[in-house]
Amino acid sequence: MFAMASLPARLIILPLLLLFGTCNANLIRGGDTPQKPFDFFVLALSWSGTSCSSVKDCCPTNACCSSEVATGFTINGFWPDYNNGSWPSCCDGPKYDQNSISIISGFLNTYWPSYDCISAPACGRFIESDLAFEWDTHGKCASPVLSNQYEYFSTALMLYFKYNITEILLKAGYVPSNTVKYPLKDITSAIKNALGVTPIVKCNGHSPIREIQICFDKTLQIEECPTYAPSKCPSRVKLPIKNVTQVPETTNYLSFRGSLNW
């Protein structure tokens, strides 16, 4: 079954998540290179069953090893993009500070989890977590619309709950299965009928859905995504069940991960 946010949890978080208006678009700088203002946001959602389908080894930082992490779709990223298919990255901005998002850290752990054991370097340096990677690589470039970490991460959570793709598909009868294949056009139509826009659907290999993307303008209104990324999925696709892998007790992955952050 899908792990959904309960109504009380939403009542707690939603008053904390603020809607932000559009600011004047000034030049954003990344290092010494001026970067033009971005055009729109992409909310990228990973299907947890596909993300965990190839996991053989486990660690405490991998969502595939935790039953506490949401099944269905989780947040993969919230990215400022350009209309031509490129995007800004590694812009100037405040340093990642876990304390600034502590009030929503539980929601981030559940709905914006990591599917890795080791964090990738960001902007030429090692970083402490996948959320730090997202902030350094993408979040800083969301200025001036979203100017700090709390605004960036809480806005992504707010949009994730408001446009809940997992619930939309569940209500339309598309449930997780390792064997059943659904018509891609029907899944796309179910989302479009609910949201009024066509999602971008990406797949892994032959048929499992890997990611769904929906787009927003800089006033955070949902809009059609540019057509630069047509789907390469087959006509029938799967929504694999998330299998929870057990964490081995003998491996100290946290220490190993920490050793990379020098």
Side-chain angles (χ1 to χ4, degrees):
M1 296 180 64
F2 292 112
M4 302 291 183
S6 64
L7 182 60
R10 294 188 187 191
L11 291 177
I12 291 172
I13 191 173
L14 289 178
L16 298 174
L17 304 181
L18 305 177
L19 289 172
F20 306 99
T22 305
C23 303
N24 291 328
N26 299 314
L27 281 180
I28 302 170
R29 295 189 61 86
D32 295 325
T33 304
Q35 297 195 24
K36 65 178 182 179
F38 67 96
D39 295 314
F40 66 100
F41 287 106
V42 175
L43 179 63
L45 307 172
S46 296
W47 181 255
S48 58
T50 302
S51 298
C52 295
S53 61
S54 60
V55 171
K56 296 180 180 178
D57 297 320
C58 208
C59 64
T61 57
N62 191 325
C64 303
C65 313
S66 173
S67 59
E68 301 300 318
V69 174
T71 56
F73 286 102
T74 58
I75 300 173
N76 182 33
F78 187 49
W79 308 322
D81 267 26
Y82 297 128
N83 287 329
N84 64 5
S86 64
W87 56 87
S89 63
C90 300
C91 302
D92 286 347
K95 184 179 179 181
Y96 179 79
D97 178 11
Q98 176 63 36
N99 292 330
S100 70
I101 53 174
S102 60
I103 193 172
I104 56 172
S105 61
F107 291 97
L108 292 170
N109 291 337
T110 300
Y111 301 105
W112 197 333
S114 169
Y115 291 102
D116 301 304
C117 290
I118 300 174
S119 296
C123 305
R125 67 182 184 87
F126 288 109
I127 42 82
E128 61 247 53
S129 69
D130 282 6
L131 291 179
F133 175 92
E134 289 297 321
W135 172 249
D136 283 359
T137 307
H138 303 287
K140 292 178 181 180
C141 299
S143 176
V145 178
L146 305 173
S147 59
N148 59 58
Q149 281 178 223
Y150 181 79
E151 289 184 357
Y152 174 70
F153 287 110
S154 64
T155 297
L157 282 170
M158 180 270 294
L159 296 174
Y160 169 82
F161 286 122
K162 183 176 181 179
Y163 303 96
N164 194 319
I165 303 297
T166 305
E167 285 188 349
I168 290 170
L169 294 183
L170 180 62
K171 290 178 180 178
Y174 301 107
V175 298
S177 173
N178 292 328
T179 57
V180 177
K181 291 186 178 181
Y182 301 109
L184 174 64
K185 63 181 181 62
D186 292 350
I187 285 182
T188 302
S189 294
I191 297 172
K192 185 173 183 178
N193 289 340
L195 303 184
V197 298
T198 305
I200 294 175
V201 183
K202 299 185 177 183
C203 295
N204 256 14
H206 298 294
S207 62
I209 288 180
R210 170 172 56 87
E211 184 174 287
I212 284 181
Q213 298 178 356
I214 52 177
C215 298
F216 300 86
D217 65 24
K218 291 198 285 187
T219 67
L220 304 178
Q221 298 301 305
I222 195 167
E223 66 174 10
E224 288 285 347
C225 294
T227 58
Y228 61 80
S231 173
K232 296 182 180 179
C233 295
S235 60
R236 299 185 70 86
V237 295
K238 291 195 298 185
L239 294 166
I241 296 171
K242 178 191 172 186
N243 296 316
V244 178
T245 306
Q246 296 300 313
V247 179
E249 297 181 358
T250 56
T251 306
N252 188 344
Y253 284 95
L254 292 178
S255 295
F256 176 62
R257 183 174 184 167
S259 71
L260 296 179
N261 297 324
W262 30 263

